[in-house]
């Protein structure tokens, strides 16, 4: 279907590329010819989109979301392309006359949420010239053709009877007549039944047409609802703007009050200035009066001056007279002249005093005149300021009058608008109340539909308990426990959704989502409980089935209470929770005993085991160093050389294992950090419990192998053990490290640097293990004494006898080797059983007994550990041929 949709979209894109967007090609004949095939494309794409959405929701209900990531990405690309195509086509006038193109939602459906399927609206394409009556006539014509067949058959039977006579001879029995009558009645009934079917089909077609029209009306109502909501939002915006305007008008009133205050302040300032002006006028008048007094004093001083001048002239005249009289009466009037001189001197003093007072009077007159001029300038400036203030006051009064008139007009206009808006608001409030009631009813209808669907899901799951076809289905207790826990967790979400709906009945999204999740998880728990009971013991199986039935009945009872508004508030999930907890308890009882460890402790166990392994390796290195020091003290010569070679190879092996453990720890941290996401490290280990148990098992095996290798080396150095124990111990620790590498490698990224380091360390561990084997065998060859065979003095019969005895020993050793191999196989099988990995298949496949091995030649003498790695691999290969098998490891 995705490919089909891609082909349709490519066709539409090819047609749109050929059209010229600069002109109206849809109005031209050539353009309409190119656009005509797109009508069929639009019809196909709408159906493909609808069925693709349903299939995607169905797939997401069956498969994990990560598996369908590619499907979601491809659907999103097609969704955006289809939306662009529909928008471009709806803008063309050619399509508007012929077809009604549906509108896709703004965002693609959310497939991760199962309740989003209810929000999906099927895109309906309506043609302008659709005539459903033609289809009905076609159906009628087809049915009439089918009805003609019994008539032809009856005609053929009549012709047969006319030609060959009745089946039982010429006489027709009453029974035959009854049979014929019954046949005719049957045929009539059949024809009536066909007519009824035709009428039913016609009625079904009419009902389908009505359903389509009702769906179109529902879509139109939904659009009107959206439009009403948009109008409501616009009215709210207008009301908000009017509120803002009202606030602005109030603000203007405040500004007007402030302006009036400013005018009052200006008037107060004007009154003060007027008072100041009056004071200045009074001061000026006083100064004028002072000026007049000064002028009077000046006239008086001038009069005094004139009088002095007159007196001077009189004195001069008197002096002249005195001189003339002196000439006449010099002697007689000498004494008088002396007196007159004294009087003249006194008069001169008085004259000087009068002149000085006159000068002072002139100076005061000049200062008064300068002050007068300054006061006249101040008077002029005050008069100019007064005139400017009067003009400003008049302009401010004019502006205030205009503002007051405009404000009164605007206030009257706003009052009328507010009255109109209040009327509209009341109308909208009534409409909103109706819409609110309708929305409440729609929400409750949605809940009822969801409840009915949930009942169908749970009833289908309960029906599986008695379905004989379901007996072959099986499930594990672990998965049942997981499903039961998920169902119990969904109960809290469902109860929360129920509480929210009771508090706010306009939003039922949480309750609908909780119902859908609970129905699927409860049904999944019931189905998996039935599947788990097929493998459980009879007693546990019967109890599990009974609890599943109880869970189904309690769930249906709870859903039945949600159908009615009166019982919805009292609906309780206690019984459902109890039934699910009983199923969870039985699932816990049926789980394998090897999984008794709490999953929360797995992460701590991994860290503890890795730390214990590192500590065991450190202890092994320390013990090997102590053994080397002790060997240097207690032995010498060839034994010292052999012991040092073996212990050095063991030390190198331990260092390689320690490096491998450190690298494995780093890789595990990288895996946990890249895979845990928002979860904690403990949660990641608990989620991947199988892999975690594999790491724990591998870590224990490595630590135990290091301890065994050190004990074997200690015994070999002290000559209390066998060299074969050391070889087997090196093989065992190599196999354990391989198991650790495999367990760490399962979840690692193939491009990880730590993974490459870990593989390199694994190869290095194998090389060091081969060095240990080679050193052990070389030392064994050097230390063991070999008797040289002396064949001198032996006859042919004695040689033959020795040969037969040697063959007997070889057969005995081969038999012992075969028995030991079988014993080793049984031990490994038991080990796998205890590890929880081996599955009993002895009834189906019998084990093949090991074949008798061929007589092998004596292996070549291995060289010292400083030889190239190829020789070590040969040594290991030869060792494998000698009957030592590599330990197998398991990928968890």
């Amino acid at each position: 279907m995705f490919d089909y949709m891609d082909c349709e979209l490519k066709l539409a894109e090819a047609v749109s590329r050929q059209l010229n967007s600069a002109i109206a090609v849809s109005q031209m004949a050539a353009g309409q010819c190119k656009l005509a095939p797109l009508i069929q494309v639009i019809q196909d794409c709408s159906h493909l989109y609808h069925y693709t959405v349903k299939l995607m929701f169905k797939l997401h209900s069956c498969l994990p979301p990560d598996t369908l990531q590619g499907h979601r990405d491809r659907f999103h690309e097609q969704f955006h392309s289809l939306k662009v195509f529909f928008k471009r086509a709806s803008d063309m006038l050619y399509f508007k006359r012929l077809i009604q193109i549906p509108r896709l939602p703004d965002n693609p459906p959310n497939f991760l949420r199962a309740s989003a399927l209810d929000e999906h609206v099927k895109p309906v394409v309506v043609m302008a010239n659709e005539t459903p009556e033609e289809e009905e006539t076609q159906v009628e014509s087809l049915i009439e053709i089918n009805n003609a067949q019994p008539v032809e058959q009856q005609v053929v039977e009549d012709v047969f009877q006319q030609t060959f006579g009745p089946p039982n001879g010429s006489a027709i029995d009453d029974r035959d007549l009854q049979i014929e009558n019954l046949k005719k009645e049957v045929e009539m009934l059949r024809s009536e039944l066909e007519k009824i079917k035709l009428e039913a089909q016609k009625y079904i077609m009419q009902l389908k047409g009505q359903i389509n029209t009702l769906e179109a009306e529902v879509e139109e109502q939904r659009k009107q609802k959206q439009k009403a909501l948009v109008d409501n939002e616009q009215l709210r915006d207008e009301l908000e703007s009017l509120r803002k305007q009202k606030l602005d008008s109030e603000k203007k009133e405040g500004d007007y009050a402030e302006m009036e205050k400013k005018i009052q302040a200006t008037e107060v300032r004007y009154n003060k200035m007027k008072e100041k002006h009056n004071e200045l006028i009074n001061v000026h008048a006083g100064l004028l009066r002072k000026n007049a007094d000064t002028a009077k004093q000046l006239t008086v001083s001038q009069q005094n001056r004139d009088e002095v001048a007159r007196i001077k002239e009189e004195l001069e005249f008197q002096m002249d007279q005195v001189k003339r009289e002196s000439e006449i009466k010099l002697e007689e009037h000498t004494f008088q002249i002396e007196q007159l001189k004294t009087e003249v001197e006194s008069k001169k003093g008085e004259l000087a005093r009068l002149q000085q007072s006159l000068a002072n009077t002139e100076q005061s007159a000049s200062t008064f005149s300068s002050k007068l001029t300054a006061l006249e300038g101040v008077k002029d400036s005050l008069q100019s300021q007064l005139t400017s203030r009067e003009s400003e006051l008049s302009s401010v009064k004019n502006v205030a009058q205009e503002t007051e008139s405009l404000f009164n007009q605007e206030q009257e206009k706003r009052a009328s608008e507010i009255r109109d808006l209040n009327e509209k608001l009341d109308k909208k409030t009534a409409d909103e109340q109706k819409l609110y009631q309708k929305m409440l009813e729609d929400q409750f209808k949605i809940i009822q539909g969801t409840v009915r669907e949930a009942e169908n899901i749970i009833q289908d799951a309960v029906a599986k308990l008695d379905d004989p076809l379901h007996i072959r289905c099986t499930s594990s207790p672990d998965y049942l426990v997981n499903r039961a826990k998920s169902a119990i967790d969904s109960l809290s979400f469902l109860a929360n959704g129920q509480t929210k709906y009771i508090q706010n009945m306009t939003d039922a999204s949480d309750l609908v989502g909780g119902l859908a999740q609970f129905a699927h998880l409860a049904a999944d728990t019931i189905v998996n409980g039935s599947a788990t009971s097929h493998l459980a013991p009879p007693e546990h199986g019967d109890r599990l089935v009974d609890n599943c039935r109880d869970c189904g009945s309690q769930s249906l009872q709870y859903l039945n209470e949600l159908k009615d508004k009166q019982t919805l508030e009292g609906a309780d999930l206690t019984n459902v929770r109890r039934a699910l907890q009983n199923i969870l308890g039985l699932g816990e009882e049926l789980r394998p005993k090897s999984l008794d460890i709490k999953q929360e402790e797995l992460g701590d166990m991994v860290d503890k085991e890795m730390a214990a392994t590192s500590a065991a390796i450190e202890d092994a290195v320390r013990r090997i160093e102590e053994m080397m020091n002790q060997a240097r003290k207690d032995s010498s010569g060839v034994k010292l050389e052999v012991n040092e070679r073996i212990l050095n190879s063991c030390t190198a092996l331990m260092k390689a294992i320690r490096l491998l453990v450190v690298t494995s720890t780093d890789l595990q941290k990288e895996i946990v950090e890249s895979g845990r996401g928002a979860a904690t490290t403990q949660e990641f280990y608990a989620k991947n419990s199988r892999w975690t148990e594999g790491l724990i098992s591998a870590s224990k095996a490595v630590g135990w192998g290091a301890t065994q290798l050190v004990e074997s080396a200690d015994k070999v150095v002290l000559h209390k053990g066998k060299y074969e124990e050391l070889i087997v111990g090196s093989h065992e620790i190599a196999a354990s490290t391989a198991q650790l590498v495999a367990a760490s490698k399962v979840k690692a990224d193939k491009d990880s640097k730590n993974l490459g380091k870990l593989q390199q360390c694994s190869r290095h561990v194998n090389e060091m293990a081969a060095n240990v084997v080679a050193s052990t065998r070389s030392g064994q060859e050097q230390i063991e004494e070999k008797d040289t065979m002396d064949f001198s003095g032996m006859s042919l019969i004695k040689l033959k006898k020795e040969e037969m005895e040697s063959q007997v020993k070889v057969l005995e050793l081969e038999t012992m080797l075969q028995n030991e191999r079988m014993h080793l196989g049984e031990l490994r099988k038991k080990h796998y059983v205890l590890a929880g990995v081996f599955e009993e298949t002895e009834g189906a496949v019998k084990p093949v007994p090991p074949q008798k091995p061929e007589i092998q030649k004596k292996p070549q003498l291995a060289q010292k550990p400083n030889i190239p790695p190829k020789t070590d691999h040969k040594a290991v290969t030869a060792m494998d041929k000698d009957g030592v098998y590599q330990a197998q490891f398991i990928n968890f």
Side-chain angles (χ1 to χ4, degrees):
M1 292 183 76
F2 280 154
D3 295 338
Y4 192 3
M5 180 71 81
D6 288 336
C7 293
E8 297 283 355
L9 293 175
K10 286 180 182 177
L11 175 59
E13 186 178 359
V15 172
S16 63
R17 282 202 304 268
Q18 293 179 1
L19 297 176
N20 187 3
S21 60
I23 59 176
V25 294
S26 62
Q27 301 299 322
M28 302 173 63
Q32 292 180 359
C33 183
K34 292 179 181 179
L35 292 173
L38 294 184
I39 295 176
Q40 186 63 36
V41 172
I42 293 171
Q43 292 177 341
D44 294 344
C45 288
S46 63
H47 291 293
L48 285 173
Y49 169 76
H50 177 62
Y51 292 122
T52 304
V53 170
K54 284 192 172 182
L55 285 174
M56 288 292 289
F57 275 109
K58 190 68 176 177
L59 288 174
H60 278 78
S61 65
C62 302
L63 298 175
D66 296 338
T67 308
L68 300 172
Q69 182 63 39
H71 292 70
R72 288 197 299 274
D73 296 339
R74 189 172 180 185
F75 177 81
H76 289 167
E77 293 176 359
Q78 290 185 354
F79 174 80
H80 293 298
S81 302
L82 183 60
K83 188 175 181 181
V84 171
F85 168 54
F86 279 1
K87 186 177 184 302
R88 189 185 300 123
S90 62
D91 294 336
M92 294 184 180
L93 186 60
Y94 174 73
F95 292 111
K96 290 181 179 179
R97 296 197 304 266
L98 298 177
I99 189 171
Q100 181 181 352
I101 301 173
R103 292 183 62 185
L104 296 181
D106 296 335
N107 297 319
N110 186 7
F111 299 112
L112 301 179
R113 185 166 57 89
S115 61
L117 180 60
D118 298 332
E119 302 173 1
H120 170 66
V121 179
K122 178 182 178 182
V124 180
V125 178
V126 180
M127 297 292 295
N129 55 354
E130 281 186 349
T131 55
E133 290 80 5
E134 296 179 359
E135 298 179 358
E136 295 178 0
T137 56
Q138 292 177 0
V139 173
E140 289 179 1
S141 62
L142 293 174
I143 295 172
E144 287 175 0
I145 293 172
N146 293 331
N147 290 337
Q149 293 178 359
V151 178
E152 292 179 358
Q153 185 177 1
Q154 185 176 1
V155 172
V156 172
E157 290 178 356
D158 294 339
V159 172
F160 179 80
Q161 291 181 4
Q162 291 176 3
T163 305
F164 299 99
N168 295 328
S170 58
I172 299 176
D173 197 1
D174 293 337
R175 294 181 181 178
D176 295 333
L177 292 175
Q178 291 179 359
I179 290 171
E180 290 296 332
N181 293 328
L182 291 174
K183 286 182 179 179
K184 290 180 181 179
E185 290 179 0
V186 168
E187 292 297 332
M188 290 175 63
L189 291 174
R190 284 181 180 173
S191 62
E192 291 179 359
L193 181 61
E194 292 295 332
K195 290 181 180 179
I196 292 172
K197 286 183 179 178
L198 289 175
E199 292 178 357
Q201 289 180 355
K202 290 181 182 179
Y203 187 66
I204 288 170
M205 295 298 294
Q206 291 177 359
L207 289 178
K208 286 184 178 178
Q210 292 179 2
I211 288 170
N212 292 330
T213 56
L214 289 175
E215 287 180 352
E217 290 178 359
V218 169
E219 185 66 25
E220 187 67 25
Q221 290 292 333
R222 191 171 296 170
K223 290 181 180 178
Q224 290 179 1
K225 180 181 177 181
Q226 294 293 333
K227 186 177 180 181
L229 291 175
V230 172
D231 294 337
N232 191 11
E233 291 295 331
Q234 291 178 357
L235 289 174
R236 286 181 181 175
D237 295 337
E238 291 178 1
L239 182 61
E240 189 66 27
S241 63
L242 288 175
R243 288 177 180 173
K244 290 182 180 178
Q245 291 177 2
K246 186 177 180 181
L247 292 175
D248 294 336
S249 63
E250 291 176 357
K251 187 176 180 181
K252 287 182 180 179
E253 289 179 357
D255 295 337
Y256 179 73
E258 291 180 359
M259 192 176 294
E260 288 181 349
K261 291 180 181 179
K262 288 182 180 179
I263 291 171
Q264 293 176 1
T266 306
E267 289 179 354
V268 172
R269 197 181 299 118
Y270 172 74
N271 293 327
K272 290 182 179 179
M273 290 177 66
K274 194 173 183 181
E275 292 175 358
K276 193 71 175 177
H277 181 259
N278 293 329
E279 290 177 0
L280 290 174
I281 290 173
N282 295 328
V283 171
H284 181 61
L287 290 174
L288 288 176
R289 285 193 294 272
K290 288 181 180 180
N291 189 12
D293 295 334
T294 305
K296 288 179 180 179
Q297 291 178 2
L298 183 61
T299 54
V300 170
S301 63
Q302 286 179 354
Q303 289 175 0
N304 291 330
R305 187 176 179 184
D306 293 336
E307 187 178 359
V308 169
R310 184 175 56 79
I311 291 171
K312 184 178 180 181
E313 289 177 355
E314 289 177 357
L315 289 173
E316 288 178 352
F317 179 72
Q318 289 176 3
M319 285 179 68
D320 290 335
Q321 287 179 355
V322 167
K323 284 179 178 179
R324 284 191 302 268
E325 287 178 358
S326 65
E327 288 177 353
I328 298 172
K329 295 177 179 180
L330 180 59
E331 291 179 359
E332 296 176 351
H333 296 293
T334 302
F335 184 74
Q336 293 180 357
I337 293 169
E338 290 288 335
Q339 292 180 351
L340 289 171
K341 284 183 179 180
T342 55
E343 290 179 0
V344 168
E345 290 294 331
S346 62
K347 293 293 181 182
K348 285 183 180 179
E350 291 178 359
L351 181 60
R353 286 194 298 274
L354 290 173
Q355 287 179 350
Q356 186 176 2
S357 62
L358 181 61
N360 293 330
T361 303
E362 290 178 352
Q363 289 180 356
S364 61
S366 63
T367 55
F368 281 131
S369 63
S370 61
K371 288 182 180 180
L372 182 60
T373 54
L375 289 172
E376 288 178 352
V378 171
K379 178 183 177 183
D380 295 334
S381 63
L382 289 173
Q383 286 180 352
S384 63
Q385 289 180 0
L386 181 62
T387 54
S388 63
R389 294 295 180 181
E390 287 177 352
S391 62
E392 289 179 358
L393 181 61
S394 62
S395 63
V396 167
K397 286 182 177 179
N398 294 329
V399 171
Q401 291 175 358
E402 293 176 357
T403 305
E404 186 177 2
S405 62
L406 291 174
F407 175 73
N408 293 329
Q409 294 176 1
E410 187 69 22
Q411 192 172 10
E412 292 177 357
K413 184 179 179 181
R414 295 301 179 191
S416 62
E417 290 179 355
I418 288 172
R419 285 194 297 272
D420 295 338
L421 288 174
N422 286 329
E423 293 177 358
K424 291 182 180 179
L425 183 61
D426 295 336
K427 185 177 180 181
K428 289 296 179 183
T429 304
D431 294 339
E432 285 182 358
Q433 189 66 25
K434 294 179 181 178
L435 290 174
Y436 178 76
Q437 294 296 332
K438 187 176 180 182
M439 183 171 62
L440 291 179
E441 294 176 358
D442 292 340
Q443 292 291 326
F444 189 68
K445 288 180 181 178
I446 291 172
I447 293 173
Q448 286 181 336
T450 307
V451 168
R452 285 194 294 271
E453 187 65 26
E455 285 181 344
N456 294 332
I457 293 172
I458 294 177
Q459 287 173 358
D460 182 67
V462 173
K464 293 288 193 304
L465 297 174
D466 299 326
D467 191 358
L469 299 177
H470 189 65
I471 296 176
R472 298 178 61 87
C473 298
T474 58
S475 179
S476 64
D478 293 333
Y479 189 69
L480 176 61
V481 169
N482 179 266
R483 292 291 85 193
K485 288 181 179 178
S486 300
I488 292 173
D489 294 338
S490 68
L491 294 179
S492 58
F493 181 66
L494 177 58
N496 189 18
Q498 180 182 353
T499 305
K500 288 183 178 179
Y501 176 72
I502 292 171
Q503 294 175 356
N504 182 16
M505 291 190 176
T506 59
D507 185 12
S509 58
D510 293 335
L511 181 56
V512 170
L515 282 172
Q517 183 182 9
F518 164 71
H520 285 91
L521 292 175
D524 199 7
T525 304
I526 293 171
V527 172
N528 283 281
S530 176
T532 305
S533 66
H534 297 157
L535 295 179
E539 182 181 355
H540 288 80
D542 294 339
R543 289 170 56 196
L544 187 57
V545 170
D546 293 338
N547 285 319
C548 290
R549 291 183 191 277
D550 185 29
C551 178
S553 63
Q554 295 297 336
S555 300
L556 292 174
Q557 183 179 357
Y558 171 74
L559 294 175
N560 191 19
E561 291 177 354
L562 294 180
K563 289 183 178 180
D564 192 0
K565 290 184 178 180
Q566 296 178 357
T567 59
L568 188 141
E569 296 183 1
D572 192 9
L573 289 167
T574 305
N575 296 328
V576 180
R577 188 184 300 275
R578 176 182 52 76
L580 288 173
Q581 287 176 351
N582 292 335
I583 295 174
L584 177 63
L586 288 173
E588 293 286 352
E589 292 179 5
L590 293 174
R591 294 180 69 182
K593 299 303 181 182
S594 59
L595 301 178
D596 288 341
I597 301 173
K598 293 183 179 179
Q599 292 187 349
E600 293 79 3
E601 301 176 358
L602 287 176
D604 298 334
M605 288 188 65
V606 171
D607 298 335
K608 290 179 182 178
E609 289 299 332
M610 296 302 290
T613 302
S614 301
I617 294 172
E618 295 290 341
D619 185 65
V621 172
R622 181 182 55 78
R623 289 184 60 187
I624 290 172
E625 290 178 355
E626 293 177 357
M627 286 188 287
M628 187 177 292
N629 295 328
Q630 189 66 29
R632 288 172 182 171
K633 293 180 182 179
D634 298 340
S635 59
S636 61
V638 177
K639 290 184 178 181
L640 179 60
E641 181 183 356
V642 170
N643 291 336
E644 285 184 348
R645 191 187 308 159
I646 293 173
L647 294 177
N648 286 330
S649 62
C650 291
T651 303
L653 176 61
M654 289 300 167
K655 291 180 179 179
I657 293 172
R658 179 172 57 187
L659 181 61
L660 183 138
V661 170
V662 172
T663 308
S664 175
T665 304
D666 295 337
L667 180 60
Q668 291 168 19
K669 291 180 180 178
E670 180 182 345
I671 292 170
V672 173
E673 290 297 327
S674 62
R676 70 185 179 90
T680 61
T681 304
Q682 308 297 332
E683 292 175 353
F684 177 80
Y685 281 125
K687 182 180 179 182
N688 302 275
S689 58
R690 293 289 186 183
W691 176 69
T692 306
E693 290 173 1
L695 288 177
I696 294 171
S697 176
S699 301
K700 287 182 179 180
V702 171
W704 180 80
T707 305
Q708 293 297 320
L709 182 65
V710 172
E711 292 178 357
S712 300
D714 190 12
K715 291 180 181 179
V716 169
V717 171
L718 296 176
H719 306 289
K720 295 180 181 179
K722 299 178 181 180
Y723 288 94
E724 287 77 6
E725 293 180 357
L726 188 59
I727 294 172
V728 172
S730 63
H731 276 290
E732 186 65 29
I733 197 169
S736 301
T737 53
Q739 180 181 353
L740 180 60
V741 170
S744 302
K745 197 167 122 181
V746 169
K747 289 186 174 294
D749 187 6
K750 62 180 181 179
D751 298 328
S752 176
K753 294 182 180 180
N754 289 326
L755 179 59
K757 293 180 182 180
L758 183 64
Q759 292 175 346
Q760 185 177 0
C761 293
S762 176
R763 289 192 290 270
H764 187 55
V765 168
N766 291 332
E767 292 176 2
M768 293 300 102
N771 286 339
V772 172
V773 173
S775 301
T776 303
R777 289 196 171 179
S778 176
Q780 186 180 9
E781 290 288 338
Q782 291 181 4
I783 292 177
E784 287 183 354
E785 296 180 357
K786 297 182 179 178
D787 297 333
T788 57
M789 300 181 68
D790 186 12
F791 298 105
S792 60
M794 295 181 67
S795 62
L796 181 62
I797 294 178
K798 193 172 181 179
L799 287 172
K800 189 68 175 176
K801 183 179 179 182
E802 290 288 337
E803 182 180 355
M804 291 178 65
E805 291 178 355
S806 180
Q807 288 180 357
V808 170
K809 289 182 178 181
V810 168
L811 292 174
E812 290 177 352
L813 291 174
E814 286 179 352
T815 304
M816 292 176 63
L817 177 60
Q818 183 177 357
N819 294 332
E820 287 298 326
R821 282 178 175 170
M822 293 178 66
H823 183 60
L824 178 61
E826 293 295 330
L827 289 175
R828 285 179 176 169
K829 185 186 298 185
K830 189 65 177 176
H831 173 262
Y832 294 153
V833 170
L834 292 176
V837 178
F838 180 75
E839 295 182 358
E840 294 292 340
T841 57
E842 294 181 355
V845 181
K846 295 182 178 179
V848 180
Q851 300 293 331
K852 179 180 179 180
E854 298 178 357
I855 298 175
Q856 302 290 336
K857 295 182 180 179
K858 182 179 179 181
Q860 296 180 358
L861 181 63
Q863 302 297 324
K864 291 183 179 181
N866 56 0
I867 58 179
K870 292 182 179 180
T871 309
D872 298 339
H873 292 300
K874 289 180 181 179
V876 175
T877 305
M879 178 177 57
D880 292 340
K881 291 180 180 179
D882 285 344
V884 180
Y885 289 86
Q886 294 286 344
Q888 298 180 2
F889 53 89
I890 302 156
N891 288 332
F892 286 89

